Amino acid sequence: MTVFIIRRLMQAALVVLVMSFLVFSGVFLVGDPTEILVADDADQAERQAIIESLGLDKPFHIQYLRFLQKAAQGNLGESFVFNEPALQLIMDRLPATMELAVAALLISVVLGIPLGVIAGLRPEAAYSKIIMTGSILGFSLPTFWVGIMMIILFSVQLGWLPSTGRGDEIHYVLGFPTSLLTLDGWSHVLLPAVNLALFKLSAVTRLARAGTREVVHQDYVKFARAKGLTDRRVIFVHVLKNILIPVVTVLGLEFGGLVAFSVVTETIFAWPGIGKLLIDSIGLLDRPVIVAYLMIIVLLFVFLNLAVDICYSLLDPRVRLQDIKA
Amino acid sequence: MAKSDVPTLEVRNLQTHFFTRAGEVKAVNDVSFTVRPGEVLGLVGESGSGKTVTGFSIMGLVDEPGRIVGGEILYKGENIANAPDERMRRLRGNNIAMIFQDPMMTLNPVLRVDTQMIEAIQAHENVSRDEAWERSRAALEQVGIPAAEERLKSYPHQFSGGMRQRVAIAIALLNKPDLIVADEPTTALDVTIQGQILYEVQKLCEETGTAMIWITHDLSVVAGLADEICVMYAGKVVEHGTVDDVLDNPTHPYTHGLISSVPSRNKRGQPLSQIPGMTPSLLNLPKGCPFKTRCPRVGPDCDIEPEITHPVPARDVRCHYPVAAGEAAAVPTPEVTA
């Protein structure tokens, strides 16, 4: 296990290095930020001074090596726009996004698995067909449209829930700001979290249903029933533990997706997270922030993959981590 | 073997049908037999003859779209056909246990063996975990698993096929059932392991007085194990009698065909005789006797469904033209054209 984790971390370092090159060169090609950063009425000398101060006059490979050198020291560059370290900007906003993603993940798991199991146990029942139709809507309706509709219904028409921001009552837990300790915070997170969760919820539901349908016909489920176990024990222990394996895999990877692609939801609900920061930074060609953001996301995915593999070995005794050639 | 008056299980005219989109499949269509304490009944037939569905009907484990539509299953005099779910749950694993065909599939791969054994005890009795664990250990030793204590902490994939089947048998024995339904439990095992398991199961049944229904397609297994034999064809019992009687002197042409298709040393060098054709689709059975399309003795009466007759004493046969004793050669061995 330890050997497996160490080997995995070394691979992760390589992945991060390759990604940094791709991201850096990609962003380098996208456009020249000077046009946006330099005021229109600046003269040639001022313009030149700004370009030099940002290091944009150097050739690509020098810029990249300089970036790597600083990155190794934990400095992913300073934002052109905010004049703050890019990493700091992201870290300031990351907790809000994490909060949103965790809430969305909880919703998908807490609702998705039971719905999927119910639909899988009685696939012909009317309620199962309703669940499956709902899941098709869930991942085919565009997130932004659903988000806007939710705001119109719950915030504007009914006035039940706030439509923007994460509330004012921010508390610190272990140094991380969170608004989930108060009812007000939950009322703020509910709409965006449901919006963000909708796609994953549908995926989890379908996955749990497919898993259930497969597992209930296995001999070991019939044998469990032949032992005289209650239906409850058969479903919650024998079936559930088996369908969790694919669900955990997908959820682990999807969680990275939730964090990385919460952009749309954060924009609609004015949620002060990294997704919104990314959109703003792309608009302003704020290169260090974009690069830093993508690097963080790469790290997140690498870490989640590792976590999924470890969960796997806990759920399925047949998996031995040493054997996995990742 | 002591035979008491109240049979452990009496199946009367059992009918289990499956209501599929293509039509009604009469998987079990009028099956009757009786098993007394300590007795082993062999239920023999080809794939699709309804023997497994008979077993599941007794367990109350027939899945949708199947249903028991007629007949009675009397467990110690109580009719348990279509009994309420909770009543069936209490009987299953406690009074009537089942062993499945494929040992690689019967144990849940993600649960430890002790979990799977302890839950089987605690489903029926209010005992402590420690006591249940101790009983599980004793059951594993009973079926000949060495280092039972260690093995209890293992997962199923750490066992070989034969060992897993022993574990399944140990689970079936945990609550000292009166009846065990064994659905081809040795088919998936190699011959040496099969021999060991058969020997041990027989010994356990004799020791505990457990009655057993042994479902198989292998006549040689039944010959050594069973007291009585039911030969099933297309959902019906076509011949029923004591095992020695039936095997020595089969009267139904189907039983006759089955027995003559078993390889033996006397037939060395000769082509094996076989029953021509295949089991008919249960959706589309021929009118009258379902075996008539494959039967070498087919005659004009075969368009009428045969009733049970007793051509020899203590034998139930469904055939208009049963094979008489000593007449065996009269059944022509079909030409092998393949």
Side-chain angles (χ1 to χ4, degrees):
Chain A
M1 182 102 157
T2 324
V3 176
F4 169 79
I5 293 175
I6 291 171
R7 198 168 61 196
R8 216 50 194 303
L9 289 175
M10 282 160 58
Q11 288 166 349
L14 195 69
V15 170
V16 171
L17 186 69
V18 172
M19 261 309 287
S20 76
F21 178 75
L22 290 177
V23 167
F24 197 86
S25 46
V27 176
F28 187 86
L29 289 172
V30 166
D32 186 356
T34 45
E35 293 304 329
I36 296 169
L37 293 174
V38 180
D40 287 341
D41 53 355
D43 60 28
Q44 202 57 38
E46 282 174 338
R47 199 183 157 82
Q48 197 55 38
I50 291 172
I51 290 174
E52 271 172 34
S53 78
L54 295 177
L56 296 174
D57 54 337
K58 304 282 192 300
F60 171 75
H61 65 277
I62 300 285
Q63 287 191 35
Y64 178 62
L65 288 176
R66 200 182 265 182
F67 163 77
L68 274 191
Q69 188 189 359
K70 282 188 188 164
Q73 299 162 1
N75 178 2
L76 292 176
E78 293 213 343
S79 161
F80 295 158
V81 179
F82 296 95
N83 273 329
E84 267 182 63
L87 197 59
Q88 188 61 42
L89 275 173
I90 290 168
M91 284 307 166
D92 284 347
R93 286 165 176 77
L94 192 60
T97 297
M98 282 295 183
E99 193 174 287
L100 187 61
V102 168
L105 188 74
L106 280 178
I107 292 171
S108 353
V109 172
V110 170
L111 289 179
I113 292 179
L115 285 177
V117 171
I118 289 170
L121 288 175
R122 295 254 176 285
E124 296 301 321
Y127 56 78
S128 303
K129 291 187 171 147
I130 293 171
I131 291 171
M132 294 325 285
T133 312
S135 81
I136 292 174
L137 290 180
F139 64 72
S140 32
L141 292 177
T143 311
F144 73 90
W145 183 82
V146 177
I148 292 168
M149 288 302 131
M150 282 165 65
I151 290 177
I152 292 177
L153 184 62
F154 293 106
S155 305
V156 181
Q157 299 287 336
L158 297 170
W160 289 351
L161 295 164
S163 65
T164 55
R166 64 192 293 215
D168 304 322
E169 298 173 52
I170 308 282
H171 295 264
Y172 283 83
V173 178
L174 302 170
F176 291 104
T178 173
S179 59
L180 293 185
L181 293 180
T182 61
L183 205 60
D184 177 62
W186 275 101
S187 75
H188 276 87
V189 83
L190 196 60
L191 278 188
V194 168
N195 184 227
L196 188 59
L198 221 50
F199 192 89
K200 316 293 165 205
L201 172 63
S202 311
V204 171
T205 305
R206 296 190 82 83
L207 211 59
R209 173 180 178 270
T212 306
R213 288 203 63 184
E214 194 183 311
V215 170
V216 289
H217 293 297
Q218 295 289 329
D219 271 2
Y220 55 77
V221 171
K222 209 152 197 181
F223 188 64
R225 287 168 65 204
K227 289 194 289 190
L229 303 185
T230 55
D231 285 351
R232 215 176 35 202
R233 178 148 182 112
V234 172
I235 292 166
F236 283 95
V237 178
H238 286 262
V239 175
L240 201 58
K241 208 170 169 202
N242 277 288
I243 65 166
L244 279 183
I245 296 166
V247 171
V248 163
T249 319
V250 170
L251 276 183
L253 299 177
E254 293 282 325
F255 183 73
L258 279 177
V259 174
F261 309 117
S262 61
V263 179
V264 175
T265 300
E266 286 187 7
T267 310
I268 293 170
F269 291 91
W271 189 263
I274 49 172
K276 205 161 169 305
L277 176 71
L278 176 70
I279 287 290
D280 295 344
S281 302
I282 291 173
L284 295 169
L285 284 178
D286 196 347
R287 198 185 291 170
V289 178
I290 302 172
V291 173
Y293 171 87
L294 291 171
M295 299 302 294
I296 297 277
I297 295 299
V298 169
L299 279 174
L300 184 72
F301 268 94
V302 168
F303 170 76
L304 283 171
N305 270 321
L306 182 63
V308 166
D309 280 340
I310 292 172
C311 278
Y312 233 69
S313 72
L314 296 179
L315 279 172
D316 191 341
R318 289 165 296 186
V319 174
R320 287 284 162 270
L321 290 182
Q322 293 92 313
D323 303 336
I324 298 176
K325 297 252 185 316
Chain B
M1 250 168 272
K3 290 186 181 179
S4 87
D5 285 344
V6 183
T8 308
L9 191 85
E10 199 178 345
V11 174
R12 283 189 198 151
N13 309 104
L14 178 68
Q15 289 181 300
T16 304
H17 295 182
F18 287 77
F19 298 88
T20 66
R21 237 170 258 176
E24 191 176 339
V25 178
K26 296 174 178 170
V28 176
N29 195 8
D30 197 3
V31 165
S32 306
F33 54 79
T34 304
V35 196
R36 291 183 186 78
E39 213 177 65
V40 179
L41 173 85
L43 208 55
V44 183
E46 287 171 271
S47 312
S49 59
K51 49 195 200 306
T52 297
V53 177
T54 306
F56 281 133
S57 302
I58 295 166
M59 298 297 292
L61 285 177
V62 178
D63 282 329
E64 289 288 316
R67 250 193 348 256
I68 298 176
V69 291
E72 290 176 319
I73 300 169
L74 301 173
Y75 168 73
K76 290 186 171 171
E78 175 194 354
N79 186 10
I80 58 168
N82 294 319
D85 289 349
E86 180 58 20
R87 175 68 191 137
M88 281 317 292
R89 184 191 76 69
R90 287 182 183 283
L91 283 173
R92 277 200 291 266
N94 196 17
N95 306 79
I96 309 175
M98 188 158 180
I99 308 168
F100 286 49
Q101 176 171 4
D102 186 355
M104 306 310 261
M105 301 298 297
T106 43
L107 298 175
N108 193 322
V110 301
L111 298 174
R112 279 191 349 201
V113 167
D114 56 354
T115 314
Q116 301 192 46
M117 294 189 83
I118 288 167
E119 68 179 3
I121 297 176
Q122 289 185 330
H124 301 288
E125 265 176 87
N126 197 2
V127 293
S128 72
R129 219 191 116 80
D130 286 347
E131 201 188 323
W133 196 86
E134 183 50 39
R135 268 170 63 181
S136 308
R137 191 188 59 76
L140 283 190
E141 278 176 1
Q142 197 183 0
V143 295
I145 292 185
E149 211 146 307
E150 237 167 83
R151 293 312 235 159
L152 270 175
K153 294 188 194 114
S154 314
Y155 286 95
H157 71 275
Q158 292 160 314
F159 289 77
S160 67
M163 281 294 176
R164 287 194 213 184
Q165 196 61 298
R166 280 166 205 260
V167 172
I169 293 171
I171 290 176
L173 291 171
L174 273 175
N175 295 310
K176 306 210 170 8
D178 304 310
L179 175 70
I180 295 178
V181 179
D183 185 5
E184 308 211 26
T186 56
T187 308
L189 305 175
D190 63 61
V191 184
T192 41
I193 305 293
Q194 178 175 333
Q196 286 173 22
I197 296 228
L198 280 176
Y199 169 74
E200 273 161 28
V201 166
Q202 204 167 13
K203 202 177 70 183
L204 290 169
C205 275
E206 270 167 27
E207 280 167 9
T208 55
T210 308
M212 180 129 75
I213 297 174
W214 194 281
I215 299 169
T216 183
H217 59 255
D218 188 343
L219 284 170
S220 58
V221 167
V222 172
L225 183 72
D227 301 304
E228 282 189 31
I229 181 171
C230 279
V231 180
M232 287 190 69
Y233 187 81
K236 288 185 194 300
V237 174
V238 292
E239 182 154 14
H240 172 214
T242 64
V243 78
D244 295 338
D245 264 9
V246 172
L247 294 185
D248 290 347
N249 182 19
T251 54
H252 195 284
Y254 177 63
T255 320
H256 201 275
L258 276 185
I259 292 169
S260 53
S261 62
V262 174
S264 92
R265 246 185 310 191
N266 319 338
K267 298 179 198 162
R268 201 188 179 97
Q270 303 165 27
L272 272 179
S273 78
Q274 58 180 30
I275 304 173
M278 282 166 52
T279 322
S281 156
L282 290 173
L283 272 171
N284 190 18
L285 283 178
K287 205 170 146 269
C289 174
F291 189 57
K292 69 176 181 189
T293 51
R294 306 168 70 188
C295 184
R297 298 173 69 87
V298 64
D301 288 350
C302 293
D303 290 338
I304 306 157
E305 172 117 37
E307 290 302 316
I308 290 174
T309 54
H310 312 280
V312 280
R315 187 84 62 90
D316 305 332
V317 181
R318 267 181 207 276
C319 184
H320 295 296
Y321 307 103
V323 185
E327 198 201 344
V331 179
T333 305
E335 288 298 314
V336 182
T337 48

